[in-house]
Amino acid sequence: MAIKNYMEDVVKEILRDLEKTKRIHCQCERCRNDIIALALSSLKGKYPTTPEGEILAKVEQSDRQVRTDALLAVMQAIDIVREKPRH
Ligand SMILES: [Zn+2]
């Protein structure tokens, strides 16, 4: 499984959960995509992939650790997009 797709799924799931519990300034497609892209790019530094997007080495972190990192990345991304929405 490509880590990028895996991460993308985790990030989208977390964002969906946050939308239920936390007020997000805007839930339009553009802001959601910005949040997802920002979260993924900050996670990319933590979970290296090959140019093809495959897992370089088996992810050593547990699923729980991945989710904790992803949650932090999504929350940071929400703050960034709230400060500077692109519309
Ligand atoms: Zn928006």
Side-chain angles (χ1 to χ4, degrees), residues 2-86:
I3 192 165
K4 183 173 170 286
N5 296 339
Y6 170 63
M7 279 298 181
E8 210 172 305
D9 287 348
V10 173
V11 163
K12 283 178 179 167
E13 197 185 308
I14 286 170
L15 184 56
R16 265 198 306 273
D17 282 352
L18 283 175
E19 281 169 353
K20 285 181 212 149
T21 57
K22 185 181 195 278
R23 264 187 83 88
I24 295 176
H25 69 291
C26 177
Q27 293 186 16
C28 76
E29 210 49 34
R30 181 177 260 185
C31 288
R32 292 189 88 235
N33 287 338
D34 281 353
I35 291 167
I36 291 165
L38 276 167
L40 282 175
S41 77
S42 78
L43 285 165
K44 227 166 75 182
K46 276 195 132 132
Y47 297 96
T49 56
T50 65
E52 293 79 32
E54 299 297 323
I55 300 174
L56 205 53
K58 194 168 163 28
V59 179
E60 285 168 22
Q61 282 87 349
S62 67
D63 190 60
R64 188 175 188 168
Q65 181 62 53
V66 172
R67 279 167 189 278
T68 304
D69 287 343
L71 177 63
L72 283 175
V74 171
M75 305 244 272
Q76 276 169 8
I78 288 170
D79 285 344
I80 293 167
V81 173
R82 186 174 43 217
E83 294 290 311
K84 286 183 183 167
R86 288 199 299 156

